[in-house]
Amino acid sequence: MPSIAIVGAGPGMGLAIARTFGSRGYDVALIARNRAKLDDLVGRLTAEGITAAAFPADARDHGALTQALKDAAGQFGGIDVLEHSPAPSMASVNLTSPSQTSPSDVQG
């Protein structure tokens, strides 16, 4: 089976992407910081007949994210699609006008 890893999985866009790919035969690896929220999403997807698993990791922690992706690849025999859209916390966002935005403003 093909698989997708969704980094920054949540109840909005992440769940919608998981449902879209899962309903087309993809195994779904969900990656986000909160284990309880991931387990809820896995339960919802499983109830819909979609194979899904949770891999808790903070996307800002390179080592943890790398390990989560390795674990997901190990469980599903590889990752065919990677979707990466973690939501930044407001503390990590520098609001600037486009003409004043520098690479460091969007680094996170």
Side-chain angles (χ1 to χ4, degrees), residues 57-58 60-70:
D58 187 330
R60 297 171 295 178
D61 180 337
H62 185 266
L65 179 57
T66 298
Q67 188 61 54
L69 289 167
K70 285 180 181 180

Side-chain angles (χ1 to χ4, degrees), residues 62-102:
H62 185 266
L65 179 57
T66 298
Q67 188 61 54
L69 289 167
K70 285 180 181 180
D71 292 345
Q75 181 164 334
F76 293 129
I79 300 295
D80 299 293
V81 177
L82 175 63
E83 193 281 327
H84 187 271
S85 59
S89 67
M90 288 310 291
S92 68
V93 175
N94 293 326
L95 299 177
T96 61
S97 69
S99 64
Q100 295 174 331
T101 300
S102 69

Side-chain angles (χ1 to χ4, degrees), residues 9-108:
M13 185 170 64
L15 182 57
I17 292 168
R19 282 180 170 142
T20 299
F21 278 80
S23 69
R24 288 166 175 79
Y26 282 72
D27 292 332
V28 178
L30 301 172
I31 301 171
R33 292 176 292 198
N34 187 302
R35 166 62 99 173
K37 289 181 182 177
L38 287 175
D39 288 343
D40 176 63
L41 296 175
V42 168
R44 292 164 73 174
L45 292 167
T46 300
E48 297 173 20
I50 295 170
T51 301
F55 301 91
D58 187 330
R60 297 171 295 178
D61 180 337
H62 185 266
L65 179 57
T66 298
Q67 188 61 54
L69 289 167
K70 285 180 181 180
D71 292 345
Q75 181 164 334
F76 293 129
I79 300 295
D80 299 293
V81 177
L82 175 63
E83 193 281 327
H84 187 271
S85 59
S89 67
M90 288 310 291
S92 68
V93 175
N94 293 326
L95 299 177
T96 61
S97 69
S99 64
Q100 295 174 331
T101 300
S102 69
S104 65
D105 291 321
V106 295
Q107 185 68 35

